[in-house]
Amino acid sequence: MKITLKDGSVKEYGEAKSIYDIAKEISEGLARVACAGEVNGEIKDLRTVIDSDCELNIITATDVKALPIIRHTASHVLAEAVKRLFPNAKVTIGPAIDEGFYYDFDAEPFSREDLDKLEAEMKKIIKEGHEITRFTLPRDKAIAFMEEKGEPYKVELIKDLPEDAEISFYDQGGFVDLCAGPHLMTTKGVKAFKLTSSSMAYWRGDSNKARLQRIYGTAYNNKEELAAHLERMEDAKRRDHNKLGREMGLFTTVDVIGQGLPLFTPKGTKILMKLQRWIEDLEDNEWGYMRTKTPLMAKSDLYKLSGHWDHYKEGMFVFGDEEKDKEVYALRPMTCPFQYFVYKNSQKSYRDLPCRYSETSTLFRNEDSGEMHGLTRVRQFTITEGHLIVRPDQMVEEVKGCLALAKYCLETLGVNEDVTYHLSKWDPDNKEKYIGEPEVWEETQQHLRDIMNELQIPFVEDVGEAAFYGPKIDINARNVYGKEDTMITIQWDALIAEKFDMYYIDRNGDKIRPYIIHRTSMGCYERTLAWLIEKYAGKLPTWLCPEQVRVLPISDKYEEYANEVCRTLKKAGIDATVDSRSEKIGFKIREARLDKLPYMLVVGQQEEESKTVSVRSRFAGDEGAKTLDSFIADITEEIRTKAIRKEEQPEK
């Protein structure tokens, strides 16, 4: 057999060889740092035996592709440490993830002190340097093996494997775990790791199943990379909107009100109000949208007609029992079926289309408690929701228009470089999840693919992420911890109009089914606010700040002038306040910096006499004295243009 290596050289062998043996033959040094092999582009365990021609790349510890193998091995080391220190714990699953790894256990909750003890035990296991070996068992023996060890979750996993599946295990010095691999050759290969946190999780993500304890960790090839990662994580904690937003006094949550139901303070509400006014004026005045206002709930009949009752009922808040009550209601999880009836309120001709409806919609979704976090996933949220009813010949240009509006919103908010585009497609292997025929799905998906290619928008394709009625373009962003959320969506719908008997009259007087675009322009207000808090570490662009200017009198003697300045600022539409506390000016400046204000105006005798203000900003520090008119002209232009000033002056 011929093995073509990464550098193009070819090795010939007369017998099958493991990847590790091939690496060792190339050089002992390569074998020592090898973590896995890439065979014809697929990552394989070093123990994998090659018996036919292929292309082979030996993945070493310095290769980014080695990180999942290092982390997966670290998760097994963690599992062994847990079994040593907490023998009654039951092991479940422990995969590598983007930022590290986790392992779920059926056990009592783990404290930070427990994690520290587990880290120490993991270091012992690594130092022991056990060789990691792989073996397989037939299904019945594999089940008996795990039953004997008292690991019911592993037994369940084995039983769920296909009948013809190879059931493999990894043994590291006596600790054996069910696993498909790949893994390092010894535990000594885990050179730098850290257990970062623990939390509750559900077995297989199902809230109706066992509550488990999840331990998160991360691992890198060396201590320097680990230190850099931990520093990034510390920065993430500082930026975490769930922490920072509360510290800034923007929102809170209360147990007696409920999880996923945030309360916005006047400051937080002010930011949301500015976003809403901007979006509504933008859509209505510049992009040709018509605003609607529809109910927050409806009878189940509406959702049965739309298909949401069959495809989405588990995610809805339902009132009443279908078997007992004459009428059953549900809070709306989306606005589309309501706006369809606004469209049907009057007959439309081809000249009336496109018909662009938009609504600042409050929606309700019954999220699992384990899925909710801060403002990014909540049970009640408000969204910039719109539906465009269009002629089929208008569809492509209108989708392009929706993309242009979305990109404009992202650019204005300063986050256009932080997103990825996804073509969310149906899953042809699970046709029962969708309505419509396969040819319709393939055609509409191709339209979206062609649009993004024409606009030169890089994108990835995600199978199974489409809505039940059509494919969509999802614009996603990652939070500070690396979790990806959908911020904006644009959906192509060629099917729903028939369910609602929607039509328009064409040139010939015939009734024609329109197409529908479901879209958001900026997305969910709560999720967008969370994104902006994390993006700017709380230092929002001036136009969005709930307090844009704070006037700081040097002493009580200048409070009257400070109030006069504040009144003038407010008349100019600027959100301003006065700090009239009997505190030293240095203290007031520090407080304003901690509150992340864009501007402070210091006033004293000199400023009062000259009718000026001494300007301090978070952008350039001390900007010197200006006339009040000059400052107002500058800041109102900054607000009008929604400028994003670069932070130049570090806080002291």
Side-chain angles (χ1 to χ4, degrees):
M1 64 180 179
K2 294 182 179 180
I3 308 296
T4 304
L5 301 176
K6 186 179 180 181
D7 63 2
S9 62
V10 178
K11 293 276 187 181
E12 294 193 28
Y13 299 98
E15 58 184 10
K17 277 186 175 290
S18 71
I19 296 173
Y20 179 77
D21 287 338
I22 294 172
K24 193 172 182 180
E25 185 175 290
I26 295 170
S27 99
E28 291 282 350
L30 177 62
R32 281 195 298 272
V33 297
C35 292
E38 192 172 15
V39 181
N40 295 330
E42 186 177 353
I43 304 296
K44 296 286 187 180
D45 194 286
L46 287 172
R47 302 157 189 82
T48 302
V49 174
I50 297 177
D51 57 7
S52 61
D53 294 354
C54 69
E55 293 182 355
L56 174 64
N57 173 31
I58 305 296
I59 296 173
T60 65
T62 57
D63 191 322
V64 68
K65 294 177 182 177
L67 280 178
I69 297 111
I70 294 170
R71 290 166 176 172
H72 194 182
T73 303
S75 78
H76 278 225
V77 174
L78 166 62
E80 181 177 359
V82 168
K83 291 297 287 186
R84 285 187 180 187
L85 299 185
F86 304 93
N88 293 328
K90 305 299 181 186
V91 293
T92 64
I93 58 171
I97 54 177
D98 285 348
E99 294 295 324
F101 62 88
Y102 70 80
Y103 210 116
D104 288 347
F105 303 92
D106 189 341
E108 294 298 315
F110 296 101
S111 66
R112 182 63 246 183
E113 291 75 16
D114 292 332
L115 299 189
D116 293 340
K117 291 175 184 176
L118 287 168
E119 280 188 4
E121 194 64 31
M122 288 174 71
K123 289 176 182 177
K124 288 181 186 177
I125 295 168
I126 292 166
K127 189 175 181 180
E128 289 165 8
H130 297 293
E131 182 182 353
I132 302 174
T133 58
R134 181 181 184 273
F135 65 92
T136 62
L137 289 174
R139 174 182 293 273
D140 56 343
K141 289 186 178 180
I143 291 171
F145 182 67
M146 279 300 168
E147 284 178 338
E148 185 179 345
K149 287 185 171 292
E151 298 293 356
Y153 297 96
K154 297 295 184 182
V155 171
E156 182 178 330
L157 290 171
I158 295 170
K159 289 180 177 179
D160 286 348
L161 290 173
E163 287 294 330
D164 59 348
E166 181 180 68
I167 302 173
S168 60
F169 298 83
Y170 282 83
D171 184 336
Q172 53 191 52
F175 173 76
V176 181
D177 204 351
L178 172 74
C179 187
H183 280 284
L184 302 176
M185 298 301 285
T186 77
T187 58
K188 279 189 174 179
V190 181
K191 299 183 183 301
F193 74 93
K194 179 71 177 175
L195 299 184
T196 53
S197 64
S198 63
S199 66
M200 189 273 289
Y202 291 109
W203 173 231
R204 293 187 158 182
D206 187 340
S207 60
N208 296 314
K209 294 185 178 178
R211 290 167 64 100
L212 306 174
Q213 301 304 318
R214 176 171 295 177
I215 296 179
Y216 286 99
T218 192
Y220 281 86
N221 179 47
N222 56 57
K223 292 180 180 179
E224 290 75 21
E225 291 177 1
L226 175 63
H229 168 81
L230 295 176
E231 186 175 339
R232 290 194 300 272
M233 288 299 98
E234 283 302 311
D235 182 59
K237 289 178 183 177
R238 288 191 291 270
R239 291 175 177 268
D240 185 347
H241 82 275
N242 201 25
K243 175 178 180 288
L244 187 53
R246 294 170 194 270
E247 291 174 352
M248 293 172 65
L250 302 182
F251 71 95
T252 187
T253 51
V254 181
D255 287 343
V256 294
I257 291 176
Q259 191 179 9
L261 299 170
L263 301 172
F264 289 94
T265 65
K267 285 184 178 181
T269 303
K270 175 77 79 169
I271 299 171
L272 295 175
M273 182 184 72
K274 291 183 178 187
L275 286 169
Q276 182 177 337
R277 287 176 176 173
W278 166 55
I279 287 294
E280 290 182 348
D281 288 346
L282 179 68
E283 290 179 340
D284 299 356
N285 299 333
E286 300 182 36
W287 290 82
Y289 282 82
M290 298 176 287
R291 200 143 296 279
T292 65
K293 185 173 177 58
T294 56
L296 299 181
M297 67 174 72
K299 294 194 295 184
S300 60
D301 305 50
L302 177 69
Y303 305 116
K304 289 174 182 176
L305 181 60
S306 68
H308 289 102
W309 201 253
D310 292 331
H311 294 273
Y312 206 83
K313 183 182 176 184
E314 294 304 313
M316 297 166 64
F317 289 102
V318 178
F319 303 96
D321 188 318
E322 288 185 272
E323 296 182 1
K324 298 177 182 178
D325 300 319
K326 186 176 181 180
E327 291 184 343
V328 174
Y329 283 79
L331 294 175
R332 63 180 183 185
M334 61 284 295
T335 311
C336 43
F338 297 86
Q339 289 190 329
Y340 300 157
F341 283 98
V342 174
Y343 174 84
K344 286 167 59 71
N345 186 53
S346 62
Q347 183 169 285
K348 306 292 192 300
S349 82
Y350 68 94
R351 295 188 184 91
D352 297 316
L353 303 187
C355 187
R356 306 184 188 100
Y357 293 125
S358 187
E359 184 166 331
T360 303
S361 304
T362 299
L363 305 179
F364 306 85
R365 295 186 183 172
N366 192 9
E367 300 282 3
D368 288 338
S369 59
E371 292 293 319
M372 287 182 287
H373 172 70
L375 302 179
T376 56
R377 194 169 291 275
V378 291
R379 286 176 169 153
Q380 175 183 308
F381 57 95
T382 304
I383 194 168
T384 59
E385 192 165 27
H387 296 89
L388 291 77
I389 295 89
V390 306
R391 303 193 310 262
D393 63 288
Q394 298 171 324
M395 192 69 166
V396 169
E397 288 307 310
E398 288 299 316
V399 169
K400 290 179 183 178
C402 291
L403 275 168
L405 174 56
K407 291 182 77 172
Y408 176 80
C409 291
L410 294 171
E411 288 167 1
T412 302
L413 294 172
V415 293
N416 53 306
E417 300 297 325
D418 304 328
V419 299
T420 55
Y421 290 78
H422 297 250
L423 172 54
S424 296
K425 307 188 297 183
W426 80 320
D427 182 357
D429 294 330
N430 291 284
K431 295 186 175 109
E432 69 280 357
K433 291 171 55 180
Y434 310 93
I435 62 174
E437 298 302 318
E439 54 268 23
V440 176
W441 281 90
E442 295 304 324
E443 179 184 347
T444 52
Q445 286 172 177
Q446 188 59 47
H447 280 307
L448 293 179
R449 191 180 289 116
D450 291 342
I451 288 169
M452 287 196 282
N453 283 330
E454 180 186 338
L455 297 175
Q456 299 182 328
I457 298 173
F459 66 96
V460 296
E461 300 193 10
D462 298 330
V463 175
E465 294 299 317
F468 69 85
Y469 47 77
K472 55 182 177 168
I473 297 170
D474 284 327
I475 304 176
N476 295 357
R478 293 184 183 275
N479 67 14
V480 289
Y481 297 109
K483 184 181 182 300
E484 193 169 70
D485 288 304
T486 297
M487 309 307 296
I488 295 172
T489 187
I490 300 165
Q491 304 174 5
W492 184 301
D493 182 354
L495 300 169
I496 288 289
E498 185 169 356
K499 281 180 171 286
F500 284 84
D501 192 28
M502 298 167 67
Y503 63 86
Y504 63 91
I505 306 300
D506 72 358
R507 293 175 183 271
N508 301 319
D510 296 326
K511 291 182 177 181
I512 306 296
R513 298 290 183 206
Y515 283 0
I516 299 168
I517 301 171
H518 308 243
R519 52 100 273 185
T520 55
S521 51
M522 182 196 70
C524 167
Y525 285 91
E526 290 84 354
R527 187 172 287 182
T528 297
L529 177 55
W531 190 14
L532 294 174
I533 291 170
E534 295 186 351
K535 164 75 175 181
Y536 294 106
K539 298 177 182 178
L540 299 174
T542 301
W543 72 277
L544 277 175
C545 288
E547 184 182 2
Q548 295 160 330
V549 179
R550 186 176 296 173
V551 187
L552 311 178
I554 289 176
S555 69
D556 296 346
K557 290 190 294 184
Y558 308 106
E559 187 176 332
E560 185 176 338
Y561 179 56
N563 287 327
E564 179 186 330
V565 168
C566 187
R567 285 192 295 270
T568 305
L569 291 168
K570 286 183 174 180
K571 286 180 181 177
I574 300 161
D575 289 312
T577 63
V578 175
D579 186 346
S580 58
R581 294 176 297 171
S582 298
E583 300 284 356
K584 292 182 178 180
I585 191 63
F587 177 83
K588 292 182 180 181
I589 291 172
R590 285 192 299 274
E591 287 279 295
R593 284 176 174 169
L594 290 173
D595 288 342
K596 306 183 189 305
L597 298 184
Y599 293 97
M600 298 161 267
L601 302 184
V602 179
V603 295
Q605 181 179 352
Q606 184 176 339
E607 287 78 18
E608 183 177 32
E609 291 174 351
S610 59
K611 297 301 179 185
T612 60
V613 290
S614 181
V615 181
R616 286 177 173 267
S617 75
R618 68 171 191 233
F619 313 106
D622 188 348
E623 296 189 11
K626 294 183 180 181
T627 65
L628 185 55
D629 287 345
S630 174
F631 173 76
I632 289 174
D634 290 343
I635 192 173
T636 51
E637 179 66 9
E638 182 180 337
I639 293 168
R640 185 190 68 79
T641 60
K642 298 176 176 57
I644 300 173
R645 288 190 65 181
K646 183 180 178 182
E647 300 284 340
E648 298 173 354
Q649 179 70 21
E651 291 186 2
K652 296 180 180 178

